[in-house]
Amino acid sequence: MTATSTLTIRGQQNDDLDQLYTLWSFPDVLLDSVELPYLSDEAFRDRFGTTPPHTHTLIAEVGLPGGRTRITGFAWLETFLARRRHAGRLNLLVHPDHQGTDAESALLEAVLDLADNWLGLRRIEVHVYIHNAPAVALYERYGFEIEATMRRYALRRGVYDDAYIMARLHTVPVDQHSQGKNA
Amino acid sequence: MTKPHAATDILIRAIETDDYQDITVLRISGNVPANTLNLPYLSPDTIRDRLENQPATMYGLVAVVDERVVGYLGMLVDSGRQAHVARLGMMVHADYQGRGVGTALLEAAINLAENWLNITRIALEVYTDNEPAIALYKKFGFEIEGTLRDYAYRDGDYVDSYLMARIRKDA
Ligand SMILES: CC(C)(COP(=O)(O)OP(=O)(O)OC[C@H]1O[C@@H](n2cnc3c(N)ncnc32)[C@H](O)[C@@H]1OP(=O)(O)O)[C@@H](O)C(=O)NCCC(=O)NCCS
């Protein structure tokens, strides 16, 4: 696919659910997550129809000939509360044809920009199956490090597979103004 | 080896909504907030509300000593592709630590998980400097799977956690 020149990263819109559901129907998309196929329309709507206040959903979309568009990936960043409110967990689902392309890296970059520069998150973690070398490499390229190996993490192709916790730490620069006051 | 103040009678039972006051007291007692995700101030209303609205896959156990709830263990079972996984958190009232209450709670939870709920992975997070808790978990076969940096905020600073898990013997 070479439609990346018209790639858009944006928030979720009301009429996205059908296309998101289509993306959800690719077994290859779900394989490397902990999600289940065959969700009912209702269950899917319950889950993604409204975004909970501490979750941020980002959509990657490419333009098609004739002005139509196709959703090629979506990411949701769930931020935690209280003593973990500096931390969040990222989930990324990308259409099989677009894995390893700009659509994937642009989506991840947008999530990191949101986390670093708008939410001020210090810690973002992802769970990645240990055999998913492309995903491990992608996250390492963006500063994530392997922190833990979770044994028997989840069922994947009928086998209880291990997964890494990978995390990226970001320090928010000290504000110039308050630095001056404290000095 | 017997302990100086080993509690002779520890009853482990399922948690009840009426336990909310004792639970509130133990959650903010002594070193408990510093070693958990609890905040130092906690309203009993919040705890009662949580107990009344537990998800069906949350299994709460309490330890009763002298007719008082002095220990709590909460175990949440995951679903779908992780239906074999449980995650737990536990705490013992500061005045009752080191007398076998934690051991009794954890033993009961592992039995419930592995022998009745067919759970093969039990996971938990523990701050890396919480030696008593780490020793307790190791005693029950939990292994450190890694270190989660800046996992939580505690008394003015970020603190790391170990991820620890116990895999059922036959798994
Ligand atoms: C950690 C905690 C749950 C343990 O419960 P407890 O009732 O105090 O523990 P027990 O008396 O059953 O002791 C269990 C094991 O813990 C370890 N332990 C207990 N006190 C200890 C201490 N002061 N130093 C080192 N190890 C200690 C020992 O391995 C002991 O086993 P042993 O007596 O067979 O050697 C309890 O101390 C507690 O609630 N602490 C504060 C909150 C907390 O840390 N929760 C866990 C968060 S992950």
Side-chain angles (χ1 to χ4, degrees):
Chain A
M1 297 250 166
T2 50
T4 46
S5 54
T6 57
L7 178 66
T8 310
I9 310 290
R10 58 166 176 79
Q12 194 177 329
Q13 293 168 359
N14 279 335
D15 54 3
D16 283 339
L17 280 182
D18 288 345
Q19 275 208 51
L20 288 178
Y21 191 75
T22 306
L23 186 64
W24 199 272
S25 328
F26 288 96
D28 283 355
V29 170
L30 300 182
L31 187 64
D32 289 319
S33 73
V34 293
E35 304 297 345
L36 289 174
Y38 310 117
L39 277 194
S40 72
D41 195 40
E42 201 186 333
F44 195 77
R45 251 161 236 285
D46 267 3
R47 187 125 170 247
F48 294 106
T50 54
T51 309
H54 298 282
T55 299
H56 306 270
T57 308
L58 282 76
I59 306 264
E61 178 180 74
V62 293
L64 299 176
R68 289 176 308 121
T69 56
R70 176 187 292 151
I71 291 176
T72 55
F74 85 119
W76 65 105
L77 176 67
E78 180 198 350
T79 60
F80 305 132
L81 299 174
R83 290 175 60 183
R84 300 205 67 211
R85 68 175 189 79
H86 62 285
R89 176 164 165 212
L90 169 64
N91 293 274
L92 198 65
L93 292 185
V94 176
H95 186 288
D97 293 346
H98 295 264
Q99 290 174 7
T101 69
D102 284 357
E104 186 176 63
S105 49
L107 186 55
L108 180 55
E109 278 169 27
V111 169
L112 297 179
D113 172 58
L114 177 70
D116 290 351
N117 301 321
W118 297 84
L119 294 168
L121 291 189
R122 184 178 181 92
R123 175 185 166 87
I124 299 185
E125 70 176 51
V126 288
H127 297 182
V128 187
Y129 290 102
I130 63 170
H131 300 298
N132 189 0
V136 172
L138 171 72
Y139 290 118
E140 278 178 341
R141 199 152 7 105
Y142 285 93
F144 287 78
E145 290 173 31
I146 293 172
E147 290 186 330
T149 305
M150 299 179 282
R151 297 162 294 163
R152 295 176 70 80
Y153 171 71
L155 201 57
R156 184 180 177 280
R157 278 211 182 99
V159 175
Y160 290 106
D161 250 350
D162 296 352
Y164 294 130
I165 293 184
M166 298 184 73
R168 171 184 179 274
L169 298 190
H170 172 81
T171 313
V172 181
V174 177
D175 170 66
Q176 294 294 325
H177 184 64
S178 65
Q179 199 175 30
K181 268 199 301 200
N182 290 340
Chain B
M1 205 178 75
T2 53
K3 302 210 163 186
H5 303 288
T8 42
D9 273 321
I10 304 170
L11 170 76
I12 306 294
R13 61 162 171 79
I15 197 167
E16 297 165 9
T17 307
D18 281 350
D19 296 331
Y20 72 93
Q21 273 167 334
D22 282 350
I23 298 284
T24 308
V25 169
L26 83 85
R27 271 186 176 272
I28 57 178
S29 71
N31 63 356
V32 173
N35 288 300
T36 58
L37 284 170
N38 297 346
L39 293 170
Y41 301 100
L42 184 60
S43 160
D45 298 348
T46 307
I47 295 301
R48 189 180 48 207
D49 198 57
R50 268 195 231 163
L51 289 176
E52 280 168 355
N53 297 292
Q54 299 273 353
T57 53
M58 180 69 165
Y59 298 86
L61 298 178
V62 295
V64 183
V65 175
D66 303 335
E67 285 167 43
R68 180 177 174 198
V69 171
V70 298
Y72 165 72
L73 186 152
M75 184 168 72
L76 188 65
V77 176
D78 286 343
S79 61
R81 292 164 66 180
Q82 296 186 293
H84 63 293
V85 178
R87 285 172 291 153
L88 66 80
M90 64 185 295
M91 55 206 79
V92 174
H93 189 293
D95 297 345
Y96 288 82
Q97 291 169 10
R99 306 185 191 185
V101 173
T103 300
L105 273 172
L106 189 54
E107 200 166 28
I110 291 171
N111 178 48
L112 176 66
E114 295 189 351
N115 300 327
W116 297 89
L117 292 166
N118 200 5
I119 297 298
T120 54
R121 172 183 169 82
I122 307 176
L124 57 86
E125 284 103 26
V126 54
Y127 299 139
T128 52
D129 58 7
N130 189 353
E131 282 163 27
I134 294 163
L136 170 64
Y137 300 138
K138 283 189 170 162
K139 186 168 86 171
F140 281 96
F142 285 79
E143 288 172 29
I144 293 173
E145 292 187 327
T147 305
L148 313 180
R149 297 163 296 163
D150 291 357
Y151 175 80
Y153 201 63
R154 176 181 69 181
D155 194 22
D157 210 351
Y158 296 98
V159 58
D160 295 348
S161 273
Y162 289 134
L163 178 66
M164 297 186 76
R166 174 184 151 117
I167 305 296
R168 197 170 72 181
K169 292 244 158 48
D170 61 353

